[in-house]
Amino acid sequence: MSSYSVRPATARDAKAIAEIHVATWHAAYQDLMPEDFLQKATVEKRLAFWREAIEYSEPQLLVATNGDEVIGFVGFDRSRDAGTKSTTGEIWAMYVAPAHWGKGAGLALWDGAREGLKEEGCTQVTLWVLLRNERALRFYEQAAGFKREMPSLKTVAFGSVKLEEIRLKRAVD
């Protein structure tokens, strides 16, 4: 088990965040999404997105580090889902470099996001996961204590493929 530190993301972290985002998408979704769709998720496109997110704190971003190396990130803020209470937060994105899967970085990021959500006054937190992303579902349900909200199932288009996503929820405390 490695020891990870979690801290707020800075502008200099944007490239590492973009690289992790793209690498993780390719590793996690290679059997779920069409290859042509995954190929469109480039570091350059993600870099512009994450630079802006860091600059405007939308979402709030934390990074996990192993020594000086950024190995994961989490983006969180208020829920984007229509009709949710102002005390409901959302994990917008959480990705860990595949070489660090199953070693505690995800839990360190979740703990950091939970503290940030508490500071924002959130009492509940949600997130969306592809129903066929078994690794993510296992992590969120078994390690982080989330529960599926079955009525939340929705179909989302990813290129030429339509996949089902499900919302998970838990108390922040």
Side-chain angles (χ1 to χ4, degrees):
M1 184 73 84
S2 296
S3 175
Y4 299 102
S5 297
V6 175
R7 62 168 172 76
T10 65
R12 72 178 182 277
D13 298 322
K15 186 168 190 231
I17 291 169
E19 290 170 347
I20 290 165
H21 195 176
V22 171
T24 303
W25 263 58
H26 284 269
Y29 301 142
Q30 67 182 348
D31 295 329
L32 301 178
M33 294 184 185
E35 183 61 28
D36 64 325
F37 182 81
L38 289 174
Q39 292 304 322
K40 291 177 186 173
T42 65
V43 171
E44 293 74 25
K45 287 179 184 175
R46 296 285 81 203
L47 183 56
F49 177 85
W50 290 118
R51 278 185 176 146
E52 187 173 304
I54 292 167
E55 182 178 349
Y56 295 106
S57 294
E58 193 173 319
Q60 297 179 58
L61 270 173
L62 301 175
V63 293
T65 59
N66 187 18
D68 293 334
E69 179 187 12
V70 173
I71 55 86
F73 68 95
V74 62
F76 63 94
D77 216 317
R78 302 285 176 182
S79 175
R80 297 171 290 180
D81 295 333
T84 56
K85 295 179 182 179
S86 63
T87 55
T88 302
E90 180 182 351
I91 301 294
W92 291 22
M94 184 159 64
Y95 294 98
V96 172
H100 294 272
W101 286 353
K103 297 180 181 176
L107 278 176
L109 287 165
W110 159 238
D111 286 343
R114 188 172 62 195
E115 287 304 312
L117 290 164
K118 272 193 228 180
E119 288 173 14
E120 292 291 320
C122 294
T123 58
Q124 297 286 313
V125 59
T126 63
L127 56 89
W128 288 92
V129 177
L130 288 174
L131 195 54
R132 291 180 45 212
N133 188 347
E134 294 172 15
R135 175 184 295 279
L137 286 167
R138 222 176 12 256
F139 169 78
Y140 288 119
E141 291 175 325
Q142 295 173 9
F146 282 80
K147 301 285 183 226
R148 296 179 195 204
E149 287 189 304
M150 292 313 287
S152 69
L153 205 60
K154 68 179 179 180
T155 302
V156 179
F158 293 92
S160 60
V161 172
K162 292 183 178 182
L163 300 171
E164 291 183 316
E165 286 186 328
I166 189 162
R167 185 172 52 208
L168 283 72
K169 186 176 183 178
R170 67 158 283 166
V172 171
D173 282 332

